[in-house]
Amino acid sequence: MTFRSLPILTVWQRLSGLAPGIGLGRWLFHLFIRVYNPYTGSLGARIMTLDKGYAKTRLIERRAIRNHLNSVHAIALSNLGEFTSGIALLCTLDSDVRGIPVEIHSQYLIKARGVLTGESNIEIPSFADSCEHWVEASIRNADNEVVAIIKVLWKLERLHES
């Protein structure tokens, strides 16, 4: 088993319980994500809850992700939605299936500021070799208002050994 083939949910389960009072396991998991997927790791989002088909993430507004309107940039919101939907999706896939985002739709409802929470709850349809499946993530502000809805079309393919 290589580093990249480690099941995300297994890594989360092993790390998230380490020293919960100081958040050591979650911090280590964030480092794991930064190595596993450097671009996503650079967003600075943290996973709050992760289970099979469910992910809850948090992103704290900071200067590096703001736009000229002094709110979180639209593409940062799209990245958070893609990350949230993707991590929920990865926790549902069998080890012989890979998921690749092929399309993304972002709907921005109000300016995003402060602490943002992304949430995605999904179920994967059964399929033989490949399929495409839409996964939605909603992003809310601290007042629980939906600031954005991100829908990602994932192409799912079974890997066949040669």
Side-chain angles (χ1 to χ4, degrees):
M1 180 178 289
T2 66
F3 177 75
R4 289 214 174 262
S5 68
L6 287 171
I8 298 287
L9 186 55
T10 300
V11 175
W12 168 259
Q13 290 168 337
R14 288 185 182 160
L15 291 178
S16 64
L18 295 177
I22 60 172
L24 176 64
R26 288 182 182 201
W27 181 79
L28 289 171
F29 187 79
H30 178 69
L31 288 180
F32 168 78
I33 291 296
R34 287 188 69 104
V35 172
Y36 188 82
N37 189 336
Y39 178 76
T40 296
S42 71
L43 180 62
R46 304 288 179 150
I47 295 175
M48 304 309 295
T49 307
L50 189 58
D51 206 346
K52 187 172 183 173
Y54 178 78
K56 187 174 188 177
T57 59
R58 184 180 72 192
L59 179 66
I60 299 173
E61 178 186 1
R62 63 187 193 285
R63 182 168 167 32
I65 59 172
R66 279 190 205 117
N67 59 23
H68 65 287
L69 301 172
N70 202 28
S71 60
V72 176
H73 195 282
I75 296 304
L77 293 171
S78 289
N79 287 339
L80 179 61
E82 190 268 344
F83 174 55
T84 305
S85 73
I87 203 83
L89 174 81
L90 287 174
C91 291
T92 64
L93 298 180
D94 294 333
S95 60
D96 68 334
V97 177
R98 72 173 175 182
I100 301 169
V102 295
E103 192 172 327
I104 188 165
H105 291 230
S106 302
Q107 183 180 13
Y108 308 107
L109 305 170
I110 60 175
K111 288 183 181 178
R113 294 190 170 115
V115 178
L116 304 173
T117 302
E119 194 168 22
S120 185
N121 193 359
I122 65 169
E123 196 170 309
I124 297 298
S126 58
F127 64 96
D129 286 328
S130 68
C131 76
E132 290 186 345
H133 184 66
W134 284 99
V135 180
E136 183 175 300
S138 62
I139 301 171
R140 297 177 179 271
N141 62 18
D143 292 330
N144 206 30
E145 300 169 304
V146 177
V147 299
I149 298 170
I150 312 301
K151 296 176 184 175
V152 183
L153 181 61
W154 291 84
K155 182 173 184 168
L156 307 176
E157 294 180 316
R158 292 205 183 276
L159 304 173
H160 301 285
E161 294 191 27
S162 343

